[in-house]
């Protein structure tokens, strides 16, 4: 499945800045950053469930926001990009 994951983590406190780094690092393990807080992710249903569990353990549910959108398969291949944005090779292996 293909997903867009977006996040908005409050960074007013040092703890918030730490949560932001942890969420970003977690997302880097699942997909490709396309904007500062937006990731394109290709995963299976079990991987999605694991990602959701992990992100919920990191965020402050009263201050932070995570959105995960399921998009139709093939959406990343047909994306239109402008400016400095580049299409990403989602079919290649993700190397950490």
């Amino acid at each position: 499945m293909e997903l867009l994951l977006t996040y908005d983590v409050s960074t007013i406190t040092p703890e918030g800045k730490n949560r932001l780094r942890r969420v970003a690092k977690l997302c880097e393990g699942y997909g490709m950053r396309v904007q500062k807080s937006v990731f394109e992710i290709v995963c299976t249903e079990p991987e999605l469930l694991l990602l959701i569990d992990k992100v919920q353990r990191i965020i402050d549910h009263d201050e932070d926001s995570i959105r995960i959108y399921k998009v139709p398969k093939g959406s990343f291949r047909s994306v239109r990009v402008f400016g400095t944005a580049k299409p990403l090779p989602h079919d290649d292996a993700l190397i950490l």
Side-chain angles (χ1 to χ4, degrees):
M1 76 179 66
E2 295 181 359
L3 311 170
L4 282 178
L5 183 145
T6 68
Y7 57 85
D8 185 13
V9 177
S10 175
T11 57
I12 295 172
T13 65
E15 294 82 9
K17 291 177 183 177
N18 183 46
R19 288 193 314 273
L20 176 65
R21 283 189 296 278
R22 291 176 61 206
V23 168
K25 188 72 171 170
L26 174 66
C27 292
E28 287 171 352
Y30 281 85
M32 298 183 183
R33 184 188 301 264
V34 293
Q35 292 188 350
K36 290 188 182 203
S37 59
V38 180
F39 281 79
E40 292 178 351
I41 298 171
V42 177
C43 68
T44 63
E45 188 70 30
E47 289 169 330
L48 172 59
L49 295 175
L50 187 59
L51 171 61
I52 290 170
D53 179 62
K54 287 179 179 180
V55 80
Q56 287 195 50
R57 292 171 187 264
I58 295 172
I59 67 168
D60 180 323
H61 291 265
D62 294 325
E63 295 186 21
D64 307 330
S65 172
I66 306 289
R67 290 179 177 264
I68 300 174
Y69 301 90
K70 288 184 180 181
V71 296
K73 189 165 179 75
S75 293
F76 295 154
R77 276 182 292 218
S78 62
V79 68
R80 295 175 66 185
V81 296
F82 305 95
T84 61
K86 303 282 185 258
L88 298 172
H90 290 286
D91 297 332
D92 293 351
L94 182 61
I95 299 172
L96 303 176

